[in-house]
Amino acid sequence: MRVNLLAKRYAEAVFEIAVESKNVDRIAEDLKLVYKVFDENRELKKIFANPVIDSAKKINILNKIFGDQGKISDLSIRFLNLITRKGREMYIMGICQAFENIYLEYKNIVRAELVTAFAPGKEIRESVISKLKAITDKDVELHEITDDEIIGGFIVRIEDYQVDASVANQLKKLSKSFAGNLYEKQF
């Protein structure tokens, strides 16, 4: 079974339980925190990827990190413990990502990325968001990146699509068009 499919199935299961218990937003926040903790701690990822360490120790670690101070809900900690008991703990980050994708779809939100050479003003940001909202019929969560290598213009990425209206891209296209020898000898 592919990892993405496995992660998606577990994420769908916990999402259904979250909807039934009317805790979707809380579970989404919990799993976002779990993802962040795993992403920032390389040692923790190594422990959970190690098949030699038994699941009881891993469950104890999860409970110490997330359960003791009530950092995440009881449902979330029980879900993480179940995954660990079933030997699927190495997929926790993938499950968290899959859950977030399902959650965004549920909330009718799409993520977009705006790359510019300098930080865009409020007016430009709102214009981009309104145009993307009109195209997708979804609320837009815009992530802004500044990259001076694009020289000017912008790049917008949304789902599997990209619009590259950067000066660097235009220069690259121009360079390719001049690369061919356009000179024709008349004699």
Side-chain angles (χ1 to χ4, degrees):
M1 183 180 286
R2 291 187 16 225
V3 173
N4 289 339
L5 183 60
L6 183 132
K8 187 175 179 183
R9 285 186 180 166
Y10 275 103
E12 286 171 349
V14 77
F15 185 79
E16 287 177 21
I17 294 169
V19 169
E20 286 176 14
S21 66
K22 297 181 173 126
N23 280 334
V24 178
D25 294 327
R26 173 63 197 246
I27 303 299
E29 288 299 314
D30 292 348
L31 294 182
K32 195 180 285 187
L33 174 66
V34 170
Y35 181 85
K36 183 180 177 188
V37 168
F38 271 84
D39 190 45
E40 292 175 356
N41 296 291
R42 200 172 80 188
E43 294 299 320
L44 186 63
K45 281 192 277 190
K46 284 181 182 179
I47 290 169
F48 277 80
N50 189 342
V52 175
I53 300 172
D54 69 335
S55 62
K57 288 182 182 177
K58 293 177 183 179
I59 289 171
N60 191 23
I61 292 168
L62 284 173
N63 290 332
K64 290 262 192 241
I65 294 173
F66 300 111
D68 288 348
Q69 292 89 21
K71 290 181 182 173
I72 64 175
S73 67
D74 185 49
L75 178 64
S76 298
I77 196 70
R78 287 189 327 210
F79 176 69
L80 292 173
N81 290 342
L82 174 71
I83 291 171
T84 306
R85 272 196 312 274
K86 295 289 183 182
R88 305 289 194 195
E89 65 274 4
M90 71 272 308
Y91 305 118
I92 287 176
M93 289 182 70
I95 293 168
C96 292
Q97 285 178 321
F99 184 90
E100 187 160 358
N101 293 338
I102 294 167
Y103 177 75
L104 290 174
E105 187 68 31
Y106 175 76
K107 289 290 191 175
N108 200 32
I109 298 172
V110 66
R111 284 197 172 137
E113 191 174 88
L114 175 64
V115 182
T116 55
F118 55 91
K122 182 179 179 183
E123 190 176 300
I124 293 172
R125 186 179 311 111
E126 288 175 357
S127 174
V128 169
I129 289 173
S130 68
K131 287 183 177 143
L132 292 175
K133 191 173 185 177
I135 292 169
T136 61
D137 291 329
K138 295 183 176 186
D139 292 329
V140 177
E141 186 178 290
L142 190 66
H143 178 68
E144 298 172 22
I145 299 172
T146 54
D147 182 4
D148 58 354
E149 290 185 17
I150 69 168
I151 303 171
F154 64 90
I155 301 170
V156 174
R157 296 182 187 108
I158 187 165
E159 293 177 343
D160 293 338
Y161 300 100
Q162 174 174 301
V163 176
D164 191 344
S166 65
V167 173
N169 186 43
Q170 299 300 321
L171 289 172
K172 190 187 314 179
K173 286 180 182 178
L174 191 61
S175 175
K176 283 183 181 179
S177 71
F178 284 137
N181 187 2
L182 301 176
Y183 177 73
E184 293 180 21
K185 193 171 186 178
Q186 296 294 325
F187 301 102

